[in-house]
Amino acid sequence: MMKFEKMDNGSLRCTLTQDDLEQNGIELDDFFSNTQNAREFLEKLIRIAEDEVGFKTTGNMMSIQAAIMSEDEIVLTFSENQVSSAEILEHIRNMFGTSSGKEQRLKQPDVKDDILKEAGGQEIEETAEDDGEGYAYLLTFDTLTDVRRFCQVLPKTRKAKSRLYYLGQKQQYFLWTDLNDTTRGYVYEFVTASMEYAKSIEKDSVRRKFLDEHADIVIKEHALELLKKL
């Protein structure tokens, strides 16, 4: 019989038997092949864990590790790979760090003011460079109003690619954006604004493919521009 355990670090451990898999029509190969049956079964496990041990997800990308303990026992560990907006800001600041010839500030401002001032000092024609991972992000919002307010505080740009999703299962909106063709200043302001308006922000990941398949696409293209006008 399946057993759930919520760990101190926020992850979830689920112990399964071969009978559990057979009753749900699942084989081990389904996990490694990422089949539709496996995805539906994993979603089912998370729903059961919410009821039995109070496990809650925030909607961020989740990694799953499978360990075969014996011929009749399998352990699945669910962990959220959340990257905070502060960490993303720090990453951007390191990428576009202060040049050696630039005068250092005597007074240390708060993080938001520092980011915005530094962004304002960049050449507006300069675009965000691709560091291998790129500047594509997935933001989570609880309401459409929150998404609109976020978009309305951003500067105008036609170079950002964006799409808005709604996932009924989570009752949340997801805003995907690709900022690689925008200015550095825009990237700064985008991530800074997310700290105030978005529930979470993460670097673009394979979870967008999941949204393409399972979520409703509210705005397919130019979501940032369209929502800014509302």
Side-chain angles (χ1 to χ4, degrees):
M1 182 176 179
M2 61 182 67
K3 177 183 176 182
F4 298 93
E5 182 181 3
K6 188 165 65 171
M7 312 303 290
D8 291 338
N9 62 1
S11 61
L12 172 71
R13 179 179 294 168
C14 178
T15 303
L16 306 168
T17 65
Q18 282 291 348
D19 287 341
D20 293 323
L21 297 182
E22 291 175 4
Q23 290 174 11
N24 288 274
I26 298 294
E27 297 181 357
L28 279 178
D29 288 343
D30 289 325
F31 293 118
F32 300 111
S33 302
N34 192 27
T35 66
Q36 180 68 25
N37 283 344
R39 291 194 294 270
E40 292 177 354
F41 178 60
L42 294 174
E43 291 174 7
K44 177 182 177 180
L45 292 180
I46 292 176
R47 290 196 298 269
I48 296 175
E50 289 178 353
D51 294 333
E52 292 199 4
V53 297
F55 178 71
K56 298 291 184 182
T57 63
T58 62
N60 290 292
M61 180 183 175
M62 184 169 289
S63 64
I64 303 171
Q65 294 180 325
I68 301 175
M69 308 304 293
S70 68
E71 291 184 359
D72 191 51
E73 189 176 73
I74 301 148
V75 175
L76 301 179
T77 302
F78 298 77
S79 302
E80 286 194 314
N81 297 330
Q82 182 172 0
V83 181
S84 69
S85 51
E87 290 175 306
I88 294 177
L89 275 173
E90 185 62 26
H91 167 73
I92 295 174
R93 293 181 67 185
N94 290 337
M95 289 303 302
F96 303 138
T98 304
S99 61
S100 58
K102 188 173 182 179
E103 183 179 352
Q104 297 293 327
R105 295 184 180 86
L106 297 178
K107 181 180 178 181
Q108 181 67 33
D110 70 302
V111 174
K112 184 174 181 180
D113 287 344
D114 187 23
I115 293 297
L116 294 179
K117 287 180 181 178
E118 196 167 336
Q122 299 289 343
E123 295 288 339
I124 61 174
E125 295 84 9
E126 232 171 351
T127 58
E129 297 174 10
D130 188 350
D131 64 343
E133 296 179 345
Y135 294 91
Y137 303 101
L138 189 65
L139 280 65
T140 306
F141 297 88
D142 286 329
T143 68
L144 182 59
T145 299
D146 292 335
V147 188
R148 289 174 54 195
R149 288 174 178 170
F150 169 76
C151 294
Q152 288 168 356
V153 301
L154 295 175
K156 291 183 179 180
T157 181
R158 295 182 179 180
K159 295 183 177 180
K161 301 173 184 176
S162 54
R163 176 175 295 181
L164 181 66
Y165 301 89
Y166 177 73
L167 187 60
Q169 179 185 346
K170 295 287 185 180
Q171 295 186 336
Q172 290 178 329
Y173 291 88
F174 295 86
L175 180 66
W176 171 81
T177 57
D178 182 340
L179 308 181
N180 283 292
D181 293 330
T182 65
T183 66
R184 293 181 179 181
Y186 187 88
V187 176
Y188 277 119
E189 297 201 37
F190 180 94
V191 178
T192 301
S194 74
M195 298 176 70
E196 181 175 354
Y197 294 94
K199 183 176 181 180
S200 67
I201 177 174
E202 62 184 87
K203 291 184 178 180
D204 185 25
S205 63
V206 295
R207 199 154 69 94
R208 181 164 61 94
K209 296 180 180 179
F210 173 84
L211 292 173
D212 282 331
E213 293 181 8
H214 300 281
D216 296 323
I217 300 177
V218 182
I219 303 177
K220 187 174 183 179
E221 295 180 341
H222 310 298
L224 286 173
E225 295 176 50
L226 294 175
L227 290 168
K228 186 175 179 65
K229 296 176 181 178
L230 294 180

